[in-house]
Amino acid sequence: MKFTQFLKTRGSIAAIIMGVFYAIAMLGVFLPGYTAIPGNIDKLPIAIVNDDAGDYGAKIADQLQENLPFKDIETDIKNKQALKDLEKNDLALVVHIPESFSSDMQNGETSSSIDFTINDAGATVISSSMKSVVTEINNQLSEQFSQQTAQSVLMNFNVPEKQAAELAEKIETAYVGNVVTVNKIPDGMHNNMLPMFLTMASYIGAMIGSMQLVEAFKESRGKASKTRLFIYLQLTALLIAVLSSLAATGITYLVNQPDGSLFLSIVGHQTLIYMASFNFTAILIFLFGSAGMILNIPLIFVQTLANGAVISRDMMYKPYEWASHITPMYYSVQGYLADLYGSISPSPFLWSLAAVGLGAMVINIIIVATVHKSKPTDKSATRTEIEEITKVLS
């Protein structure tokens, strides 16, 4: 056989097509999607809450609104509500100027501070970006207020050494930025990425499982009704979901060591994401057979970016944002962030995940009922089933 003949074999042609297809699919999804970092940072919503009735607070609030690189800045909001929105990741940063800020600055009795609150239990890019922004703001404010204090100090030449030292300290501590991080994630990249890794472990396992079980469904036609086979398919997927969830949770406790009270919720969450992912990926398998597996791979790439682990919906381009609403990964990742590290209930995300899974199952039922033709059922198999059912009933 010549090399050119080998290249014409089905396996060689398939390998060439797949190599080119997945290179285009992966880079075509990831590279445009990640151009949102840092390009779309300005789309993140933040809040500036000024409770200070003095001149300093109003001046600082105006300066921040003018200079901060954010288009969506909310000012007409109470600090309590802003912090609640931050917990839900509806805000990326809350800047709070306390009511005593001007008086503290004027009296110089204590260091004046502005609170910058960040939610760590969210997209990693947001947390890191907000910390960088806050550091820059604090450096500028510290320099600004130190200069103002220095001007007043220069009016007091020839002061005793002790008083000079006190004045120097006053200059250094004229302003201190107070950075508050809520829902802090434990140190280590394995903790930051745990919600995404748990989700992807179930999703990929479910995708492979859907290919194998749909194939088993097709091979078994004629041995039982389509309805019965579809029920068997779902029950088998559920069994796999429970077993794989226990395994995934066990590894999570060995490596990440989360709180023991979360064990059942993690197992339940993993089971739910497996079943939702199974039915979601099975749609293309039911429609196109093994070719559906090829189409499922780009959907993984899209969801890897659109699941909210790295960037939030506010930063995503429209196709990725749209995908996050109708695919399983986003709701799973956000549910895990809330359950493992956050202080809000994961229930809204889990209900949305269940809705995606249920919707996918309904689509699969319609496909099985309309696209897949029934084969004549084996009479002996049917007779055996009837006898078994009769025995159970009697």
Side-chain angles (χ1 to χ4, degrees), residues 117-378:
T117 308
I118 303 164
N119 185 7
D120 219 18
T124 54
V125 166
I126 293 180
S127 179
S128 60
S129 297
M130 291 304 104
K131 289 174 183 175
S132 298
V133 168
V134 169
T135 299
E136 182 63 26
I137 293 172
N138 279 327
N139 289 339
Q140 292 179 5
L141 290 177
S142 180
E143 181 180 352
Q144 176 181 336
F145 285 114
S146 294
Q147 288 175 350
Q148 291 177 357
T149 307
Q151 290 175 0
S152 64
V153 170
L154 289 174
M155 299 173 64
N156 296 280
F157 287 110
N158 300 320
V159 295
E161 183 178 349
K162 183 178 180 180
Q163 291 183 3
E166 291 176 352
L167 289 172
E169 183 179 355
K170 182 179 178 182
I171 293 175
E172 292 177 0
T173 61
Y175 168 82
V176 177
N178 184 31
V179 182
V180 181
T181 302
V182 297
N183 303 326
K184 187 169 178 59
I185 297 177
D187 293 334
M189 198 65 178
H190 61 297
N191 288 311
N192 281 90
M193 301 306 294
L194 180 60
M196 182 173 171
F197 287 162
L198 281 170
T199 297
M200 291 195 72
S202 270
Y203 189 96
I204 294 173
M207 182 181 67
I208 297 171
S210 67
M211 181 180 67
Q212 301 295 336
L213 291 179
V214 170
E215 185 63 29
F217 170 89
K218 293 178 179 179
E219 290 177 357
S220 300
R221 283 183 301 172
K223 299 178 181 178
S225 65
K226 288 193 299 183
T227 301
R228 182 180 292 274
L229 289 176
F230 188 81
I231 293 172
Y232 288 167
L233 176 139
Q234 295 293 332
L235 289 176
T236 305
L238 180 59
L239 174 62
I240 299 170
V242 173
L243 293 176
S244 64
S245 298
L246 289 170
T249 306
I251 294 174
T252 299
Y253 272 87
L254 285 174
V255 179
N256 294 70
Q257 300 177 345
D259 190 279
S261 62
L262 295 172
F263 181 84
L264 290 179
S265 65
I266 295 176
V267 172
H269 189 143
Q270 281 294 98
T271 302
L272 178 59
I273 179 61
Y274 186 98
M275 291 303 297
S277 301
F278 173 83
N279 280 284
F280 183 81
T281 56
I283 293 173
L284 292 175
I285 307 295
F286 272 123
L287 283 173
F288 305 111
S290 58
M293 190 69 173
I294 299 171
L295 299 175
N296 268 322
I297 299 295
L299 284 176
I300 292 181
F301 298 155
V302 171
Q303 292 181 78
T304 301
L305 192 142
N307 62 33
V310 179
I311 62 177
S312 69
R313 273 180 177 166
D314 300 295
M315 294 179 65
M316 295 176 193
Y317 294 119
K318 285 300 179 183
Y320 300 93
E321 180 188 349
W322 179 76
S324 73
H325 288 281
I326 61 170
T327 53
M329 278 196 194
Y330 178 84
Y331 300 111
S332 177
V333 168
Q334 300 309 307
Y336 268 130
L337 284 170
D339 198 20
L340 292 170
Y341 308 124
S343 53
I344 61 172
S345 172
S347 297
F349 301 111
L350 298 182
W351 280 114
S352 297
L353 177 59
V356 170
L358 184 61
M361 183 185 291
V362 171
I363 293 173
N364 285 325
I365 291 172
I366 294 172
I367 293 171
V368 169
T370 58
V371 176
H372 290 267
K373 296 180 180 180
S374 298
K375 287 186 177 181
T377 304
D378 184 12

Side-chain angles (χ1 to χ4, degrees), residues 32-154:
Y34 279 115
T35 59
I37 307 170
N40 286 354
I41 288 289
D42 62 341
K43 293 185 178 180
L44 294 175
I46 71 166
I48 299 176
V49 183
N50 179 25
D51 286 334
D52 180 27
D55 294 334
Y56 280 111
K59 183 178 179 181
I60 293 300
D62 289 341
Q63 285 181 349
L64 290 175
Q65 278 187 265
E66 183 178 345
N67 297 324
L68 283 177
F70 302 108
K71 297 177 181 178
D72 187 4
I73 301 178
E74 191 168 357
T75 56
D76 188 19
I77 188 173
K78 298 294 184 182
N79 190 51
K80 186 176 180 180
Q81 182 60 48
L83 293 177
K84 285 183 179 179
D85 291 345
L86 181 73
E87 294 274 1
K88 300 175 184 177
N89 285 316
D90 292 335
L91 290 172
L93 172 68
V94 174
V95 182
H96 178 227
I97 305 172
E99 55 182 297
S100 62
F101 184 74
S102 288
S103 60
D104 288 344
M105 290 298 302
Q106 291 168 350
N107 296 333
E109 296 177 358
T110 58
S111 296
S112 302
S113 67
I114 295 175
D115 295 329
F116 298 88
T117 308
I118 303 164
N119 185 7
D120 219 18
T124 54
V125 166
I126 293 180
S127 179
S128 60
S129 297
M130 291 304 104
K131 289 174 183 175
S132 298
V133 168
V134 169
T135 299
E136 182 63 26
I137 293 172
N138 279 327
N139 289 339
Q140 292 179 5
L141 290 177
S142 180
E143 181 180 352
Q144 176 181 336
F145 285 114
S146 294
Q147 288 175 350
Q148 291 177 357
T149 307
Q151 290 175 0
S152 64
V153 170
L154 289 174

